Amino acid sequence: MFEKAMYAPYHDTSFAMGAKGLNVSSPWMSLDVEVDDDRKNALTQLVAKIGEGRDEVLREAEAQEFLSFFAGFPLVHALPRKLALAGAPTYASAAPELLAAKGPREFLAAINPFDDLVIDEAFSYFDATWRWDAREIEDASRIPGADLFDPLSAYTAIRARRLQYQVQQSGLAQDLLARVKKLRASDEASFFGVLATLLAQQYYVTRECCSCLDPAIAHHALIRDQILAYKDEELHHDRLILKSIRELSDEDTKDFFFAPEVRLEIEVIKYAARTCALGFSALVSIMEGTVYPESDPVGDILKESSKPSAHVGVESHFQVNKRGNHTAIPEAFVMELPPVTQQTIAIATRLAEVTILLDTGLARTMLQRLEH
């Protein structure tokens, strides 16, 4: 259907040769690659050429062989692929509630199933109108010679946009972790309560995972097999998170506090699962994260407490995802999709925008609970 994928560095990705090898960095991750001594000079020259950003250089076989090495990391953009066959099928999606909404709050109000949540109150800090421009995603993914768009290219463009936003908002999560660590030193009993609440948010996501995947299996036949495989890997992950919570709290699960952001994020994913395979793929990318450190950051904090065994469940869950390389699962989805329509690009862009607002807003809500 498509010709072989080609890649270009994200605008925020840089390459630098050093004494020990190659460093590839962006605001959201840094990667060190060992380089044989006999290749360092040639690679230094190639990196310099790629840094010029000229299309003719990026499309050279040598440059593509180099850039394709990083295709599994959120460091490069997949250039729009040419169609290998004429008359390829097209994927079109419809999401009337989303497209009719003037902004994220209005869309959330349209799909909100919770009687105890008033959207304008819970998400008063959201902009009233959409901020992301779908035309940027269109320009980055338009198939040469066609009025259609490459789903892989659109996916990597949306990924770059949400990573940039996450970096801008990262201070909230960093502040939250710093305050939690400080609380562990000053009031460990309260610390355990706070950590139980933090883990409850992860418990909710893992508990509701199948309710997000089942409608996608029903509605997205093109990627049904890939979603089924993903579901098999996600089964019973909530038990691992609950294991850690039980080390910290005896509270009944029905009494757990689940933040508005987490509850509505799941509803948006369910909506994408019914309406847009490309948008659903982008939201799974948000849910699974970007890169894996050596261990789970929350587990690390628990490990340093007087209840170190509380880290076991959450760390086990983290390592299962890491071994399965769950950050790359959405790429397996989009690689199965045919060319997509302009409306599908708009839907996927808005779904990603509202979901990343919810995802990053969780740290804000958790900080507010700490302050009270």
Side-chain angles (χ1 to χ4, degrees):
M1 186 181 307
F2 287 106
E3 293 185 356
K4 184 179 179 181
M6 302 180 73
Y7 298 91
Y10 281 146
H11 292 305
D12 294 321
T13 298
S14 62
F15 301 92
M17 287 296 300
K20 295 183 179 180
L22 174 71
N23 174 259
V24 190
S25 63
S26 69
W28 44 85
M29 75 171 295
S30 180
L31 187 68
D32 291 312
V33 182
E34 292 184 6
V35 179
D36 294 337
D37 289 339
D38 60 352
R39 294 199 61 199
K40 284 185 178 178
N41 288 337
L43 200 54
T44 298
Q45 295 176 24
L46 178 60
V47 165
K49 287 176 62 178
I50 290 173
E52 296 173 7
R54 291 184 288 124
D55 286 347
E56 62 270 23
V57 170
L58 292 177
R59 293 182 181 275
E60 291 177 359
E62 185 182 24
Q64 280 305 307
E65 181 181 3
F66 171 78
L67 291 169
S68 295
F69 177 81
F70 302 100
F73 300 93
L75 295 164
V76 292
H77 168 60
L79 298 170
R81 296 168 291 177
K82 294 181 180 179
L83 292 173
L85 298 171
T90 300
Y91 178 80
S93 57
E97 299 88 354
L98 182 70
L99 294 176
K102 295 178 181 178
R105 290 206 305 266
E106 189 172 315
F107 168 61
L108 292 177
I111 67 167
N112 176 27
F114 303 110
D115 293 337
D116 64 325
L117 274 185
V118 178
I119 296 300
D120 283 343
E121 293 179 2
F123 305 106
S124 59
Y125 62 99
F126 279 17
D127 287 331
T129 57
W130 300 104
R131 294 300 183 186
W132 292 14
D133 189 350
R135 289 173 297 183
E136 295 177 5
I137 310 303
E138 293 172 17
D139 292 343
S141 61
R142 190 182 300 275
I143 296 171
D147 193 22
L148 293 168
F149 304 86
D150 182 345
L152 177 62
S153 187
Y155 169 83
T156 60
I158 290 171
R159 182 179 65 184
R161 183 68 181 82
R162 65 95 170 166
L163 286 168
Q164 290 161 358
Y165 183 82
Q166 283 179 299
V167 168
Q168 294 167 4
Q169 300 295 314
S170 62
L172 287 170
Q174 292 168 2
D175 190 16
L176 177 61
L177 286 177
R179 294 196 189 191
V180 166
K181 289 179 181 179
K182 186 176 180 180
L183 185 62
R184 183 185 63 198
S186 63
D187 185 353
E188 196 177 45
S190 295
F191 161 80
F192 289 139
V194 168
L195 262 291
T197 299
L198 287 176
L199 289 176
Q201 313 315 305
Q202 195 172 1
Y203 169 73
Y204 186 83
V205 172
T206 52
R207 188 190 74 182
E208 297 297 317
C209 183
C210 288
S211 71
C212 296
L213 299 181
D214 287 341
I217 292 167
H219 290 274
H220 302 324
L222 289 169
I223 54 175
R224 180 177 292 129
D225 290 345
Q226 290 73 23
I227 301 172
L228 282 167
Y230 178 42
K231 180 180 176 180
D232 285 343
E233 293 203 19
E234 288 293 318
L235 288 173
H236 308 314
H237 282 200
D238 55 322
R239 297 178 184 178
L240 294 173
I241 306 303
L242 190 58
K243 179 179 179 180
S244 284
I245 294 174
R246 284 289 168 254
E247 295 267 355
L248 305 172
S249 171
D250 295 326
E251 186 177 18
D252 193 291
T253 54
K254 66 179 177 59
D255 296 322
F256 284 178
F257 168 76
F258 299 128
E261 288 82 359
V262 167
R263 294 161 70 186
L264 265 298
E265 183 171 352
I266 290 297
E267 296 308 311
V268 176
I269 297 171
K270 290 177 184 178
Y271 182 86
R274 298 190 302 270
T275 59
C276 182
L278 176 59
F280 175 76
S281 302
L283 303 200
V284 171
S285 177
I286 293 172
M287 187 166 60
E288 288 294 346
T290 305
V291 293
Y292 290 112
E294 288 300 313
S295 55
D296 187 277
V298 174
D300 291 341
I301 294 174
L302 284 169
K303 201 172 182 179
E304 297 300 317
S305 73
S306 63
K307 294 182 179 180
S309 62
H311 95 286
V312 173
V314 68
E315 182 63 26
S316 297
H317 173 253
F318 177 85
Q319 293 299 333
V320 167
N321 286 355
K322 184 176 181 179
R323 286 193 300 271
N325 194 22
H326 282 201
T327 60
I329 282 174
E331 284 93 311
F333 298 167
V334 295
M335 289 297 286
E336 298 298 318
L337 298 179
V340 303
T341 62
Q342 184 178 30
Q343 179 169 284
T344 298
I345 296 291
I347 291 169
T349 302
R350 287 191 177 183
L351 285 169
E353 179 179 352
V354 67
T355 302
I356 203 60
L357 286 172
L358 292 164
D359 197 73
T360 56
L362 177 60
R364 179 184 181 277
T365 293
M366 293 295 104
L367 279 168
Q368 288 180 337
R369 285 183 67 85
L370 265 177
E371 291 169 355
H372 297 300

